């Protein structure tokens, strides 16, 4: 987590977020239809192709930001369910339990269903 190997004195929810943020950030930026449209139109020459590539890129960035926000909320709620032993391990190593990311994904999917 940090360069000198120590775990900062932060709330457990924040430590969980710091432990998983890179993985979740990559997932949020994964190319979907908009990403492939950006790649397709971005390679065209001329003003019109660049315009649509920029529009698609803006939409993709907005989508990734929304996904990352949903992940952040799920990390906070999943962190509340950690046991005392898991919290001690988190504080000692800066690592979340193996099941943590699966729980975050489950909570994000549950939230999407409710919308």
């Amino acid at each position: 987590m940090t360069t000198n190997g120590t775990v900062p004195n932060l709330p457990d929810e924040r430590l969980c977020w710091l432990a998983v943020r890179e993985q979740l950030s990559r997932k949020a930026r994964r190319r979907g239809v908009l990403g492939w449209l950006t790649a397709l139109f971005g390679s065209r020459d001329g003003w019109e192709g660049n315009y649509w590539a920029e529009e698609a890129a803006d939409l993709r960035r907005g989508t990734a930001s929304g996904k990352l926000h949903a992940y952040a909320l799920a990390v906070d709620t999943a962190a509340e369910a950690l046991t005392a032993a898991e919290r001690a391990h988190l504080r000692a190593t800066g690592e979340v339990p193996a099941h943590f990311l699966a729980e975050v994904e489950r909570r994000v999917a549950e939230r999407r269903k409710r919308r």
Side-chain angles (χ1 to χ4, degrees):
M1 270 177 60
T2 60
T3 55
N4 62 2
T6 62
V7 178
N9 187 22
L10 296 170
D12 292 342
E13 292 81 6
R14 182 69 176 152
L15 289 175
C16 287
W17 175 250
L18 292 174
V20 298
R21 124 181 107 178
E22 285 302 316
Q23 290 172 298
L24 296 178
S25 182
R26 279 193 301 272
K27 282 184 142 198
R29 288 190 317 257
R30 221 179 251 161
R31 279 190 185 192
V33 174
L34 291 175
W36 290 111
L37 285 174
T38 304
L40 177 67
F41 288 118
S43 64
R44 288 186 170 194
D45 292 332
W47 180 83
E48 202 170 315
N50 289 334
Y51 171 77
W52 289 112
E54 284 300 316
E55 288 295 313
D58 286 345
L59 286 171
R60 192 178 78 232
R61 280 189 288 274
T63 301
S65 177
K67 287 179 183 177
L68 204 55
H69 184 257
Y71 280 130
L73 292 174
V75 166
D76 279 353
T77 57
E80 293 171 0
L82 292 177
T83 64
E86 291 169 337
R87 288 174 189 274
H89 179 74
L90 173 67
R91 292 218 161 268
T93 64
E95 297 173 355
V96 293
H99 65 84
F100 188 79
L101 282 175
E103 180 64 17
V104 168
E105 290 289 346
R106 186 189 70 75
R107 289 173 187 264
V108 167
E110 184 180 283
R111 186 170 185 255
R112 284 184 189 143
K113 279 184 187 178
R114 280 189 268 143
R115 280 197 275 158

